[in-house]
Amino acid sequence: MSTKQRIAIVDYGMGNLRSVYQAVKHVADEHDVVLTHDPEIVASADKVIFPGQGAMRDCMKNLNESGLRIVVEAAAKEKPFLGVCVGMQMLFEHSEEANTEGLGLFKGRSLRFPAALMIDEVGQKLKVPHMGWNNVKHARQHPIWQGIDNNDRFYYVHSYFVHPVDTDLVIGVSDYPFTFCGAIASEQLVAVQFHPEKSDKAGLQLYRNFVNWDGKTSS
């Protein structure tokens, strides 16, 4: 997209906001990138980025108390929208983390990595949270993957993973040690469990792809 856009990064008091802002600004310097807690700015933005970090219950509490919930829900349905980490989990109905209700925009829930299954191929116990670099396999094609190699590495920090009812939402998966959902997409919305702002060139490319995306699912 060649015309100047306003890209709003939602500030409801949770998330790696400064790092997200710096990464998006780096790839979208010709656009108006704003970190904002103003509902009117989010509502009027051309695109919205919805980060989240920390406990799901705290994220939902802050979002509800910020006055931003309604405009975030509307943006997720109406314009190019990118959820990041807990910002992806919040889009679903429920999380096992503190038995927390999400926004319910998609059917499904976030589950904790089960201790009984956290064993690698040589019998070593895996840590939770899942923290560090991991390969992301493209479950299906999407413009957000343009210029990003299938199985490229992204940085994760999480103890819970999304389990969508509609598996057609899933566009990216990782293994730890079983396969889990790393990215989803529906119409003009994309969301990722990993942190693009911590993921070097691949992460910057993903943000660049979102900035350039017209909101259509075809490449």
Side-chain angles (χ1 to χ4, degrees):
M1 302 178 71
S2 57
T3 57
K4 187 170 184 176
Q5 308 171 70
R6 169 166 281 188
I7 302 168
I9 302 169
V10 183
D11 178 6
Y12 58 102
M14 303 292 291
N16 193 24
L17 300 175
R18 183 55 53 181
S19 295
V20 174
Y21 173 82
Q22 294 294 348
V24 177
K25 187 67 177 174
H26 180 75
V27 300
D29 195 46
E30 70 276 22
H31 300 296
D32 182 17
V33 181
V34 292
L35 179 60
T36 182
H37 53 77
D38 186 332
E40 292 186 5
I41 293 177
V42 175
S44 64
D46 299 294
K47 294 180 177 174
V48 171
I49 298 175
F50 182 50
Q53 187 168 300
M56 172 83 164
R57 174 173 285 181
D58 292 340
C59 286
M60 285 301 304
K61 179 176 182 290
N62 279 28
L63 181 65
N64 288 329
E65 293 178 352
S66 69
L68 287 160
R69 176 170 178 159
I70 292 175
V71 293
V72 166
E73 289 178 334
K77 298 173 183 177
E78 298 168 0
K79 62 185 67 179
F81 184 99
L82 174 62
V84 177
C85 195
V86 181
M88 169 171 149
Q89 296 177 11
M90 293 167 72
L91 302 175
F92 288 82
E93 297 170 300
H94 182 265
S95 175
E96 285 187 341
E97 185 175 14
N99 192 30
T100 304
E101 296 301 314
L103 297 174
L105 300 179
F106 299 109
K107 292 185 179 298
R109 55 192 181 133
S110 294
L111 308 174
R112 184 174 173 84
F113 283 106
L117 299 182
M118 303 313 294
I119 306 295
D120 68 15
E121 65 276 4
V122 296
Q124 296 295 313
K125 186 174 178 61
L126 296 171
K127 294 180 179 180
V128 178
H130 170 218
M131 184 181 300
W133 295 90
N134 203 332
N135 301 89
V136 176
K137 180 179 179 181
H138 304 169
R140 61 179 171 90
Q141 291 186 339
H142 191 278
I144 206 72
W145 298 135
Q146 184 174 349
I148 297 172
D149 292 338
N150 190 16
N151 257 2
D152 217 333
R153 290 163 65 82
F154 288 85
Y155 195 85
Y156 282 96
V157 183
H158 64 127
S159 299
Y160 296 80
F161 61 94
V162 164
H163 184 69
V165 170
D166 181 5
T167 57
D168 287 342
L169 288 173
V170 180
I171 62 167
V173 297
S174 293
D175 293 320
Y176 190 73
F178 53 85
T179 301
F180 68 89
C181 175
I184 64 164
S186 176
E187 299 179 343
Q188 81 299 324
L189 177 147
V190 176
V192 296
Q193 180 62 64
F194 49 82
H195 288 271
E197 68 280 0
K198 297 181 179 179
S199 299
D200 199 44
K201 292 180 181 178
L204 289 176
Q205 183 62 42
L206 189 142
Y207 278 134
R208 184 178 294 109
N209 290 343
F210 179 71
V211 170
N212 294 331
W213 186 35
D214 62 5
K216 299 178 181 178
T217 55
S218 58
S219 303

